[in-house]
Amino acid sequence: MSTLLSRANSLFAFSLSVMAALTLGCIFTTAFKDRSAPVRLQVSRILLKNVEDFTGPRKRSDLGFLTFHISADLEKTFDWNVKQLFLYLSAEYSTKNNAVNQVVLWDKILLRGDNPKLLLKDLKTKYFFFDDGNGLRGNRNVTLTLSWNVIPNAGILPLVTGSGRVSVPFPDAYEITKSF
Amino acid sequence: MARDGGAAACSGPSRTSASGAAAVALRGSADRLGDARYRASTTTVLKYRLPSLRCAACSPPTMLEHLSSLPTQMDYKGQKLAEQMFQGIILCSAVVGFIYGYVAEQFGWTVYIVMAGFAFSCLLTLPPWPIYRRHPLKWLPVQDSAIEDKKPGDRKVKRHAKNN
């Protein structure tokens, strides 16, 4: 503590330790918080095609196009330790080839400061809804759920599924638009 | 006689003056005078020798004086005060920042307040303000050690002069 540099060194190291302790305190205040929220999903149109699958083996597979609406109030999930939410819509169904199929159809990054009350209408799928085979035609039960990944300032990244879900049956024939 | 004896004397017992009781009586009074003269003479001798002593035995103290003339020096009590001050300032700003960030729901404010506390304590404790120099170390004065070293030497020289 007798030279300027050693004083500066101890001052800086002390500030960094205090900052680390504050970050740990921030983690503890939000570690056990429930991050789920109610979600309302609606599907308005479904179109099914059978095309050559360019994402994998070149056999003809089912390709689905959906138009849907999302309404969710995510205000309670934002707090001082949340930087952004990564939302994604996933479809889950079973076919005779695979018992469980999960496909991500759409995603969105919701930053802190953006409007947390989502009222999105007529969204189209961002990513191709390819099936591994021809399992979508006539599928009775394709369930859409909205989930999100909470990205904090410091701490663990929890993955939460919204409480609302919608199940839609797919059309039995190709190139026919089914509206709801 | 007494004066001469006193002037030439360095220590009473080694004087070889004249006869008997008168000499003793004279020696008694002359002793006192002689002591006074001895003290006076030694102080004059010391004053004569002091500049050379300062030059010879003084190099460590001058180096320390040079170090303490550098602007970043603080004394020990000042260092303790500086350390307590910056720890207190940063802890206070951390508590205030944590509460404010929690209430305002922005962790960025917590970081800004702690950084402000860091800057304030830098300003307050890094430069050596005069409050950190209020208890300087009390070094021993140089003259004490010089007198202790040179007293037997003086005595030796005086004895030689007396014998001669």
Side-chain angles (χ1 to χ4, degrees):
Chain A
M1 289 291 287
S2 61
T3 64
L4 188 90
L5 283 180
S6 89
R7 276 203 297 279
N9 178 35
S10 63
L11 183 67
F12 187 59
F14 186 70
S15 319
L16 283 185
S17 308
V18 163
M19 201 63 236
L22 282 182
T23 310
L24 207 66
C26 179
I27 294 176
F28 283 139
T29 57
T30 59
F32 304 108
K33 208 177 147 186
D34 182 24
R35 306 264 187 198
S36 59
V39 169
R40 202 159 153 265
L41 294 167
Q42 281 169 304
V43 177
S44 61
R45 271 164 37 123
I46 300 181
L47 176 63
L48 193 58
K49 290 189 182 176
N50 196 353
V51 295
E52 239 181 51
D53 188 353
F54 54 85
T55 64
R58 296 293 179 111
K59 55 182 169 85
R60 293 188 77 89
S61 304
D62 285 350
L63 177 60
F65 297 91
L66 285 107
T67 310
F68 49 92
H69 313 304
I70 296 179
S71 74
D73 184 9
L74 296 166
E75 191 159 9
K76 289 204 182 62
T77 56
F78 279 103
D79 56 16
W80 75 326
N81 198 15
V82 173
K83 183 175 170 253
Q84 64 193 24
L85 292 183
F86 180 74
L87 307 155
Y88 59 96
L89 183 82
S90 61
E92 187 172 338
Y93 58 99
S94 67
T95 62
K96 60 180 172 36
N97 278 348
N98 309 305
V100 175
N101 302 275
Q102 282 172 335
V103 184
V104 172
L105 301 177
W106 171 92
D107 54 28
K108 178 178 170 62
I109 289 180
L110 201 67
L111 298 168
R112 268 198 89 204
D114 289 353
N115 188 8
K117 295 182 187 350
L118 287 177
L119 279 171
L120 304 166
K121 297 243 174 261
D122 289 326
L123 290 172
K124 293 208 173 60
T125 56
K126 233 193 229 184
Y127 307 111
F128 284 111
F129 192 176
F130 265 114
D131 180 43
D132 181 24
N134 297 312
L136 278 179
R137 187 166 74 124
N139 199 320
R140 287 294 126 220
N141 205 359
V142 175
T143 310
L144 296 173
T145 51
L146 184 72
S147 316
W148 51 89
N149 211 355
V150 178
I151 291 159
N153 282 323
I156 297 180
L157 282 71
L159 189 64
V160 182
T161 304
S163 54
R165 50 182 59 205
V166 65
S167 294
V168 286
F170 260 59
D172 295 326
Y174 295 124
E175 312 279 346
I176 293 177
T177 307
K178 193 171 178 187
S179 298
F180 292 91
Chain B
M1 277 289 275
R3 270 192 192 172
D4 290 339
C10 68
S11 55
S14 60
R15 211 182 303 160
T16 55
S17 58
S19 51
V24 171
L26 279 172
R27 201 190 297 155
S29 59
D31 267 344
R32 271 180 236 113
L33 267 175
D35 280 344
R37 296 262 174 124
Y38 168 59
R39 255 181 255 124
S41 58
T42 46
T43 48
T44 51
V45 163
L46 271 171
K47 275 180 196 155
Y48 173 73
R49 282 177 190 258
L50 216 50
S52 62
L53 278 174
R54 192 164 272 164
C55 290
C58 245
S59 32
T62 45
M63 260 168 53
L64 282 171
E65 280 167 29
H66 177 66
L67 272 178
S68 69
S69 73
L70 279 179
T72 63
Q73 200 72 6
M74 283 182 184
D75 53 53
Y76 290 121
K77 286 213 159 68
Q79 289 172 16
K80 181 177 164 189
L81 178 68
E83 184 161 354
Q84 283 174 345
M85 272 179 88
F86 81 66
Q87 282 175 351
I89 289 173
I90 289 182
L91 280 175
C92 276
S93 68
V95 167
V96 165
F98 192 78
I99 292 173
Y100 187 77
Y102 189 75
V103 164
E105 295 229 330
Q106 293 245 26
F107 192 62
W109 272 105
T110 303
V111 179
Y112 292 146
I113 290 178
V114 172
M115 278 177 8
F118 170 74
F120 180 57
S121 59
C122 267
L123 193 67
L124 214 61
T125 62
L126 284 185
W129 301 115
I131 49 168
Y132 303 125
R133 289 189 174 182
R134 272 188 295 186
H135 300 272
L137 284 175
K138 292 188 180 57
W139 296 107
L140 285 177
V142 180
Q143 288 87 334
D144 290 338
S145 59
I147 290 173
E148 308 255 333
D149 287 338
K150 284 300 166 184
K151 248 187 183 170
D154 277 341
R155 281 210 185 118
K156 274 189 196 154
V157 168
K158 283 283 176 179
R159 278 199 199 113
H160 281 154
K162 173 98 183 39
N163 286 337
N164 286 339

